[in-house]
Amino acid sequence: MILFASVFLFLVALSISIVGYSLHYGISPMPSPRKAREKITALLPISEGKVYELGSGWGHLIFPLARRFPNLSLYAYEGSFVPWLVSTLLQKGLGYPNLHITRKDFFQISLKEADGIVCYLYPAAMRRLKKKLEEEGKPGLFVLSYAFSIPGWKAKKEVPLGDLLNSKVYLYVL
Ligand SMILES: C[S@@+](CC[C@H](N)C(=O)[O-])C[C@H]1O[C@@H](n2cnc3c(N)ncnc32)[C@H](O)[C@@H]1O
């Protein structure tokens, strides 16, 4: 009975953490769909250099990228505790040496070193990210965004995924 109650309380605590961080960041750690991940992988313009994932959730996008591009240095930033913990434990098991997962608000990091950004965020975050990219992004920096465009920027490519929501992957080059 005590074990059952402890497991129940533990699960409740995890759920409260996920909901709390979703409210804080304005989005839940919902994984990108398989089609989007495949498209981002296919469109990735470089196979060496530094790519940042902003809001890496449970790692659904960053793990396939780490496997497919072993010569890329991948820096994943996730603010929500539970998805960060799960993806960090998974990485310890999978052991991709080119992947670095950090628990941090990505608006607090510098993007000056990044050669590319991948993300699946939401409109308000894209507006804020636009300003940050214009201040810190180096020439040639690419951005691959699933579902949400960067307002006011002209995409180099807009690739429809052919799903019911008519969602797209956007490729930008600074
Ligand atoms: C829709 S999920 C996408 C997850 C993952 N990128 C994928 O494709 O499966 C967005 C993630 O961004 C995280 N996030 C949003 N704003 C953030 C911020 N400012 N700093 C760190 N993480 C953030 C959320 O916690 C959430 O896990």
Side-chain angles (χ1 to χ4, degrees):
M1 189 60 193
I2 289 176
L3 179 67
F4 177 77
S6 309
V7 170
F8 179 74
L9 285 176
F10 180 65
L11 293 177
V12 169
L14 294 186
S15 307
I16 289 173
S17 170
I18 292 173
V19 171
Y21 279 110
S22 300
L23 293 172
H24 176 73
Y25 285 118
I27 188 159
S28 70
M30 181 173 39
S32 47
R34 188 177 48 82
K35 272 188 181 179
R37 300 197 296 264
E38 286 173 358
K39 197 51 79 185
I40 287 176
T41 306
L43 287 169
L44 210 83
I46 57 173
S47 55
E48 286 183 10
K50 290 185 179 176
V51 173
Y52 292 17
E53 182 175 17
L54 305 182
S56 51
W58 309 94
H60 283 75
L61 175 58
I62 207 72
F63 286 123
L65 289 180
R67 187 169 50 241
R68 170 80 177 74
F69 299 103
N71 293 326
L72 269 186
S73 295
L74 293 161
Y75 296 88
Y77 294 92
E78 173 55 51
S80 182
F81 178 73
V82 179
W84 164 80
L85 181 64
V86 170
S87 55
T88 299
L89 292 175
L90 268 175
Q91 199 218 347
K92 300 253 179 278
L94 294 169
Y96 296 118
N98 58 332
L99 172 58
H100 315 272
I101 305 176
T102 305
R103 182 164 172 249
K104 192 149 189 166
D105 181 335
F106 59 72
F107 284 113
Q108 307 302 321
I109 62 159
S110 167
L111 301 178
K112 286 185 179 152
E113 298 273 304
D115 298 304
I117 306 279
V118 293
C119 58
Y120 168 28
L121 294 166
Y122 58 101
M126 296 308 283
R127 283 196 293 277
R128 211 173 147 198
L129 183 59
K130 171 191 165 166
K131 193 166 172 285
K132 190 169 171 62
L133 290 169
E134 286 170 352
E135 285 168 7
E136 299 175 10
K138 61 182 174 190
L141 171 84
F142 73 84
V143 181
L144 273 165
S145 172
Y146 165 57
F148 299 104
S149 59
I150 303 177
W153 282 23
K154 188 167 165 32
K156 188 171 177 194
K157 282 187 187 161
E158 285 184 25
V159 185
L161 296 183
D163 56 10
L164 288 176
L165 297 172
N166 198 23
S167 52
K168 294 177 183 166
V169 168
Y170 299 86
L171 170 65
Y172 299 92
V173 180
L174 203 67

